[in-house]
Amino acid sequence: MKITIKETQNPTILKFEFPDFITQNESFEFKNIDEANNSPLAQQLFYLPFVKTVYISGNFIAIERFSIVDWNDVKDAVAEQIEEYVKSGGKILIEDTSKPTKTALTVYGETTPNPATLKFVVSRRLTKTALEFKNIDETAPSPLAKELFQFPFVKEVFIDENYISITKYEVATWEEITIEIRTFIKEYIENGGIVIDETLVVADTKQEKQQIKNFDNLDTTSQQIINILEEYVKPAVAADGGNILFDSYDENEKRVKVILQGSCNGCPSSTFTLKNGIENMLKDMLNDPAIIVEAINP
């Protein structure tokens, strides 16, 4: 058996591919050795000091590393260790006979302020990274989103934490298609379908602005704006099936540019929300009546 090493679009994550499938219709993510009880191989890998996360899915094991090493220095040794482990009869996964073959879950639809968008809430976490898909060509990280675009009435898909916001074309009404979509999502996830393949998620430059590593490079006002959006605005728009991202702040124009995602994008009431909600909040909390908020969605 020969392990093939494959790079991913995330430089901290490397795939170690097997010639055959090692798990069927299931994906696993282990953050530490205690979580990896049903994967002796993952537990073995966590003894390597640079291993941050282990993913097991299909025919591969993907490993996310800490920054203390470079993959070029250790990848061959890791591949050899995995090969030797399997050759010696080590178990990759231990089947949990106590759990049913399907993981029962609930999916229900919630209306949003955008009449073209419905929010489907799932009784489990789906992703740690909010992702928006405008068309099927963008769906490489999400097999579920790709499948949803097979429905002719699906225009856009937004996935975050425990919900999926779907924006439809006008060719169908929600009364006609809600049950069909809800049933599809429920059966897809229960049967072990992959919602998000975290190894294929490409860092979004817009979202990176709000990450800690870049946050410190921003001016003080921009940092304050991000903190306000994160603490006060995001929870509210998430409840409506959407998301808001900080893009930029122009100190001369006092103009805050934001990006709306999910149900917020194209929502008839989004202008009112921006002007009478977010803009007024920033004016008040920053003590600057000249603040202007503008959405820059394409």
Side-chain angles (χ1 to χ4, degrees):
M1 183 205 66
K2 182 67 177 174
I3 295 291
T4 303
I5 303 172
K6 292 278 185 73
E7 293 183 353
T8 72
Q9 292 169 311
N10 185 333
T12 66
I13 298 177
L14 210 60
K15 273 186 177 181
F16 298 86
E17 292 189 351
F18 289 72
D20 300 304
F21 281 87
I22 56 177
T23 178
Q24 296 288 340
N25 300 322
E26 282 190 291
S27 296
F28 302 88
E29 178 180 346
F30 306 112
K31 290 292 187 182
N32 53 60
I33 196 169
D34 292 331
E35 291 183 359
N37 286 331
N38 63 330
S39 176
L41 175 54
Q43 288 185 322
Q44 180 93 359
L45 290 170
F46 275 113
Y47 284 108
L48 300 173
F50 54 83
V51 172
K52 181 179 181 181
T53 308
V54 177
Y55 306 92
I56 300 178
S57 181
N59 70 327
F60 69 86
I61 293 172
I63 300 175
E64 181 180 10
R65 63 169 173 79
F66 287 107
S67 57
I68 58 174
V69 298
D70 187 277
W71 271 125
N72 288 329
D73 297 329
V74 298
K75 62 182 181 181
D76 292 329
V78 173
E80 184 178 342
Q81 179 173 327
I82 294 173
E83 288 176 358
E84 290 300 321
Y85 177 88
V86 175
K87 284 180 182 177
S88 65
K91 291 279 189 180
I92 299 174
L93 290 164
I94 299 174
E95 184 178 356
D96 186 357
T97 56
S98 65
K99 73 173 185 179
T101 55
K102 289 187 178 182
T103 304
L105 78 162
T106 58
V107 179
Y108 63 90
E110 284 186 357
T111 58
T112 75
N114 187 345
T117 304
L118 204 64
K119 175 183 177 183
F120 292 87
V121 183
V122 182
S123 60
R124 53 161 278 193
R125 187 174 183 183
L126 301 176
T127 179
K128 59 183 179 182
T129 308
L131 293 175
E132 183 176 44
F133 307 101
K134 297 286 191 180
N135 55 63
I136 196 169
D137 293 334
E138 299 178 352
T139 59
S142 177
L144 172 57
K146 184 175 183 179
E147 291 298 322
L148 288 169
F149 275 109
Q150 302 299 324
F151 293 98
F153 44 76
V154 172
K155 182 180 180 182
E156 296 178 13
V157 178
F158 176 74
I159 304 176
D160 193 8
E161 293 197 348
N162 70 326
Y163 68 87
I164 303 157
S165 289
I166 295 178
T167 302
K168 68 174 182 64
Y169 288 105
E170 294 182 0
V171 295
T173 66
W174 285 121
E175 289 77 12
E176 296 170 328
I177 62 177
T178 297
I179 294 177
E180 182 180 5
I181 295 178
R182 187 187 70 81
T183 301
F184 173 80
I185 293 173
K186 184 176 187 296
E187 292 181 351
Y188 178 92
I189 298 175
E190 283 183 339
N191 286 319
I194 298 173
V195 178
I196 298 289
D197 183 347
E198 300 286 350
T199 68
L200 297 179
V201 175
V202 180
D204 189 317
T205 55
K206 301 178 185 70
Q207 291 177 319
E208 275 196 343
K209 288 185 179 182
Q210 300 177 77
Q211 302 303 315
I212 293 174
K213 62 182 179 181
N214 294 311
F215 182 84
D216 293 338
N217 298 326
L218 297 173
D219 60 273
T220 301
T221 304
S222 293
Q223 292 178 344
Q224 290 175 321
I225 292 169
I226 289 174
N227 286 334
I228 293 170
L229 293 178
E230 290 285 329
E231 185 172 355
Y232 298 100
V233 181
K234 275 198 174 186
V237 297
D240 287 333
N243 191 31
I244 186 169
L245 296 174
F246 170 81
D247 180 82
S248 61
Y249 169 67
D250 187 311
E251 186 175 0
N252 295 323
E253 295 183 358
K254 303 289 185 180
R255 187 181 302 274
V256 179
K257 293 184 179 181
V258 298
I259 296 165
L260 301 177
Q261 295 180 316
S263 64
C264 297
N265 184 18
C267 177
S269 63
S270 62
T271 301
F272 178 85
T273 302
L274 283 173
K275 294 299 178 184
N276 294 278
I278 300 170
E279 188 174 286
N280 287 341
M281 180 185 294
L282 291 176
K283 286 178 178 179
D284 181 59
M285 299 186 77
L286 296 175
N287 195 26
D288 189 344
I291 289 285
I292 301 170
V293 178
E294 173 187 346
I296 60 168
N297 287 65

